[in-house]
């Protein structure tokens, strides 16, 4: 699938099945299958030249049979005596354990053995290199699941994974724009500065950090990997791991703030006497402090016990990842219980107001649908294992649904809790009304100046609250006075 590490993305489930038979003595014919995706050379595009230079001075003994040097586009195999096996350390690549070794056997007749232990074919004189022992256990499990059926089915699934990457890129870009606009609105108006909107802002900030990191990694992959360039984040050891640590921290913080959203809303609905601002410091400690401890614990464990793979590839498939994933799933479970209780209280209040059964059901369903993305319950489907061993339709349904919900989640939350929020719309309406009134007053004043600004014209006074116009200046009074009329704060004589 796509060669990107993500905890909730099937695109992270990469498949690299390498069947290397290479060109020896300057010729190259390689069977290398990666789901129709090219895998860049481990040491650069000119490694074959270096391999040839390295072995050009070797002279085969006349009384012995040797296999010639071979370059299989991944590793350079030295000349090897017949009926012997040579070993090389596995290359540094995603899903590969660099502590392991890959073997290649030279046949009795001086030709590299093929896949079935026979001499290599004419178009592949270097036989077959089996890189399967190099894979990490997590990678091998993915390969077995992906290739449960035929190779054609596996190819279709890989194509689906590639298409969902475009869907995710578009969704994340739109979500980022919506979240940034929402944050600017929340920060602009003082009338919106309450505990509820503060919690919203913290959640939006965590989501923005996560989206920015994801998009950065995707752009990096799109720019460098197709060209086989050994640059960028994915090929920078410390920077790559640090990027994913920060990504997981932002994702964990997002879940913690979703938990706080559920807790705050649950208390607002169920607790009779509830002070909004009394617990905000605790909320910030839970939202930003607790994820630091979780992420550091996970990063230290992963660094010590899962270091062989390049850039911790496949870390989301290990047991260590449950250090983060376990609390996240617990948050979803608790928020689901909050949601059930909130709906219960809502239904009870609707019955007390003698609302019809149909209206009760409609409002309860609408409340549930509105709260699902805010409480993070929609993330549950992305935490499920990718159905790689299922039919194409099942895999496609899971893949498109998961990527759509996760990538557009920021847009859904920003729309429901900012753009459609009654307080936000009221504040925007006031600002727009004031702006239009000021423009109209300025236009009237210009017209009055042109016509002589007669003394008998009445003053047009507009009073607006500073919170809706400009923070920090208190009440502002905009006046357009005519002729000898007194200022509005002084009575006329």
């Amino acid at each position: 699938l796509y060669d990107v590490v993500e905890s909730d993305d099937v695109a992270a489930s990469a498949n690299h099945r390498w069947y290397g038979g290479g060109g020896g003595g300057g010729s190259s014919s390689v069977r290398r299958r990666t789901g129709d995706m090219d895998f860049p050379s481990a040491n650069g595009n000119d490694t074959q030249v270096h391999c040839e230079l390295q072995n050009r001075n070797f002279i085969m003994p006349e009384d012995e049979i040797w296999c010639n040097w071979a370059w299989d586009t991944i590793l350079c195999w030295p000349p090897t005596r017949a009926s012997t096996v040579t070993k090389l350390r596995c290359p540094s690549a995603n899903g590969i354990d660099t502590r392991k070794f890959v073997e290649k056997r030279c046949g009795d007749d001086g030709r590299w053995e093929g896949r079935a232990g026979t001499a290599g074919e004419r178009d592949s004189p270097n036989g077959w290199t089996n890189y399967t022992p190099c894979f990490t256990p997590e990678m091998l499990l993915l390969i077995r699941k992906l290739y449960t059926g035929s190779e054609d089915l596996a190819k279709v699934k890989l194509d689906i994974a590639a298409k969902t990457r475009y869907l995710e890129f578009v969704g994340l870009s739109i979500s980022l724009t919506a979240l940034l606009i929402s944050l600017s609105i929340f920060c602009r108006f003082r009338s919106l500065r309450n505990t509820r909107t503060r919690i919203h802002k913290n959640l939006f900030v965590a989501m923005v950090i996560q989206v920015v990191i994801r998009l950065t990694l995707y752009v990096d992959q799109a720019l460098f990997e197709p060209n086989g360039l050994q640059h960028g984040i994915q090929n920078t050891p410390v920077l790559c791991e640090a990027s994913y640590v920060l990504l997981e921290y932002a994702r964990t913080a997002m879940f913690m703030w979703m938990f706080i959203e559920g807790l705050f809303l649950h208390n607002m609905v169920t607790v009779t006497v509830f002070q909004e601002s009394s617990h905000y410091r605790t909320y910030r400690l839970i939202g930003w402090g607790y994820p630091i401890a979780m992420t550091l614990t996970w990063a230290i464990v992963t660094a010590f016990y899962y270091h062989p793979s390049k850039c911790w590839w496949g870390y989301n498939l290990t047991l260590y990842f449950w250090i983060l994933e376990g609390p996240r799933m617990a948050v979803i479970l608790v928020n689901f219980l909050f949601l059930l209780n909130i709906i219960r209280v809502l239904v009870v209040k609707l019955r007390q107001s003698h609302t019809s059964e149909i209206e009760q059901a409609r409002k309860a369903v609408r409340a549930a649908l509105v709260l699902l993305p805010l409480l993070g319950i929609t993330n549950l489907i992305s935490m499920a294992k990718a159905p790689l061993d299922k039919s194409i339709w099942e895999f496609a349904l899971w893949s498109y649904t998961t990527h759509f919900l996760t990538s557009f989640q920021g847009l859904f939350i920003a729309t429901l809790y900012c753009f459609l929020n009654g307080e936000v719309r009221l504040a925007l309406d006031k600002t727009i009304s004031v702006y239009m009134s000021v423009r109209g007053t300025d236009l009237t004043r210009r017209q009055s100046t042109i016509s002589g600004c007669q003394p008998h014209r009445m003053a047009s006074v507009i009073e607006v609250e500073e919170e809706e116009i400009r923070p920090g200046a208190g009440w502002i009074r905009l006046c357009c006075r005519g002729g000898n009329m007194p200022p509005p704060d002084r009575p006329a004589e």
Side-chain angles (χ1 to χ4, degrees):
L1 304 178
Y2 242 76
D3 194 12
V4 175
V5 182
E6 293 185 46
S7 59
D8 61 341
D9 189 358
V10 69
S13 306
N15 168 56
H16 294 305
R17 292 183 75 182
W18 294 337
Y19 298 95
S27 63
S28 177
S29 175
V30 179
R31 289 184 64 211
R32 183 167 53 94
R33 185 168 54 209
T34 61
D36 281 358
M37 293 189 297
D38 292 333
F39 185 82
S41 302
N43 301 313
N45 296 328
D46 59 344
T47 314
Q48 182 176 354
V49 177
H50 293 165
C51 184
E52 183 176 0
L53 292 175
Q54 183 180 353
N55 297 282
R56 64 180 179 178
N57 296 325
F58 177 78
I59 300 176
M60 296 185 183
E62 296 182 357
D63 56 344
E64 296 180 358
I65 301 177
W66 286 66
C67 288
N68 198 5
W69 64 270
W71 163 245
D72 62 5
T73 75
I74 298 175
L75 294 176
C76 178
W77 296 91
T80 304
R81 190 192 307 271
S83 302
T84 59
V85 176
T86 183
K87 293 182 179 181
L88 294 177
R89 189 175 293 276
C90 294
S92 176
N94 293 336
I96 297 298
D97 189 345
T98 55
R99 299 173 302 179
K100 297 181 180 180
F101 291 87
V102 59
E103 298 180 354
K104 196 174 183 67
R105 180 176 178 80
C106 178
D108 298 336
D109 56 354
R111 299 177 64 183
W112 296 104
E113 290 188 353
R115 185 175 183 181
T118 59
E121 302 172 354
R122 291 183 178 180
D123 59 344
S124 182
N126 295 311
W128 176 64
T129 305
N130 181 20
Y131 284 89
T132 303
C134 294
F135 294 138
T136 61
E138 294 78 16
M139 187 65 172
L140 287 175
L141 180 61
L142 286 177
I143 293 176
R144 293 191 186 100
K145 286 186 176 181
L146 184 62
Y147 284 87
T148 299
S150 63
E151 289 191 27
D152 292 336
L153 294 178
K155 181 179 178 180
V156 173
K157 293 177 182 178
L158 292 171
D159 292 337
I160 293 173
K163 292 177 181 178
T164 53
R165 171 51 49 84
Y166 297 112
L167 172 65
E168 188 178 14
F169 190 86
V170 172
L172 290 175
S173 301
I174 296 175
S175 293
L176 178 62
T177 303
L179 290 170
L180 291 176
I181 295 174
S182 300
L183 284 172
S184 64
I185 292 175
F186 284 144
C187 296
R188 172 67 178 80
F189 301 103
R190 285 196 175 184
S191 61
L192 301 177
R193 297 180 185 179
N194 50 51
T195 304
R196 184 175 64 258
T197 55
R198 286 178 180 177
I199 295 175
H200 289 343
K201 285 193 294 185
N202 282 277
L203 173 61
F204 288 5
V205 169
M207 298 182 73
V208 165
I209 296 174
Q210 180 190 192
V211 170
V212 169
I213 297 175
R214 286 184 183 274
L215 289 176
T216 302
L217 293 173
Y218 294 168
V219 171
D220 174 80
Q221 180 190 11
L223 291 178
F224 293 104
E225 290 196 4
N227 300 322
L229 301 177
Q230 299 301 303
H231 304 285
I233 298 176
Q234 297 290 337
N235 297 295
T236 305
V238 178
L239 180 60
C240 186
E241 286 83 355
S243 299
Y244 288 112
V245 170
L246 183 58
L247 174 64
E248 295 302 333
Y249 169 73
R251 181 170 168 77
T252 305
M254 180 189 72
F255 274 89
M256 290 299 105
W257 281 107
M258 287 178 173
F259 165 73
I260 295 171
E261 291 275 7
L263 177 64
F264 182 83
L265 181 60
H266 180 266
N267 291 339
M268 286 285 292
V269 173
T270 60
V271 178
T272 305
V273 179
F274 177 68
Q275 298 180 357
E276 293 187 9
S277 59
S278 59
H279 305 287
Y280 183 64
R281 291 186 178 179
T282 305
Y283 294 158
R284 285 192 298 182
L285 178 62
I286 297 175
W288 297 112
Y290 183 59
I292 293 178
M294 290 174 53
T295 307
L296 285 179
T297 302
W298 164 77
I300 293 173
V301 172
T302 303
F304 274 96
Y305 296 100
Y306 196 69
H307 59 278
S309 183
K310 176 184 176 182
C311 196
W312 294 353
W313 191 95
Y315 68 79
N316 55 303
L317 305 174
T318 64
L319 294 176
Y320 313 126
F321 192 61
W322 281 97
I323 298 175
L324 297 177
E325 202 74 344
R328 293 171 184 171
M329 294 193 71
V331 165
I332 294 179
L333 177 61
V334 173
N335 277 353
F336 183 72
L337 297 178
F338 285 158
L339 177 62
L340 294 180
N341 198 33
I342 291 171
I343 294 177
R344 181 190 64 81
V345 174
L346 175 62
V347 171
V348 170
K349 292 183 178 181
L350 289 175
R351 287 178 178 175
Q352 292 176 353
S353 62
H354 304 290
T355 307
S356 63
E357 293 290 337
I358 297 178
E359 185 68 13
Q360 293 178 21
R362 186 181 67 84
K363 290 186 177 181
V365 171
R366 185 176 63 180
L369 293 177
V370 168
L371 291 175
L372 282 177
L374 181 69
L375 302 182
I377 299 176
T378 53
N379 290 280
L380 188 60
I381 186 175
S382 65
M383 293 182 174
K385 292 184 179 179
L388 297 175
D389 52 347
K390 304 297 181 180
S391 65
I392 293 178
W393 293 108
E394 290 179 88
F395 176 77
L397 178 63
W398 178 90
S399 184
Y400 283 111
T401 302
T402 299
H403 286 78
F404 178 79
L405 292 177
T406 55
S407 60
F408 284 93
Q409 185 178 36
L411 175 63
F412 298 152
I413 295 179
T415 301
L416 293 173
Y417 295 94
C418 181
F419 303 144
L420 299 181
N421 183 273
E423 296 179 10
V424 173
R425 296 174 66 181
L426 179 61
L428 290 175
D429 289 342
K430 285 184 179 180
T431 302
I432 294 174
S433 299
V434 169
Y435 176 75
M436 297 302 294
S437 299
V438 171
R439 288 198 60 184
T441 302
D442 291 340
L443 180 61
T444 302
R445 184 172 56 185
R446 294 192 190 99
Q447 293 175 351
S448 300
T449 303
I450 294 174
S451 62
C453 202
Q454 297 298 328
H456 64 274
R457 293 183 181 273
M458 298 298 296
S460 175
V461 181
I462 301 174
E463 293 184 351
V464 294
E465 191 178 7
E466 179 276 331
E467 284 85 349
E468 309 300 332
I469 297 295
R470 183 179 57 208
W475 289 78
I476 296 177
R477 181 171 293 172
L478 302 176
C479 306
C480 175
R481 301 187 300 274
N484 299 322
M485 292 297 293
D489 56 351
R490 192 176 66 212
E493 296 178 356

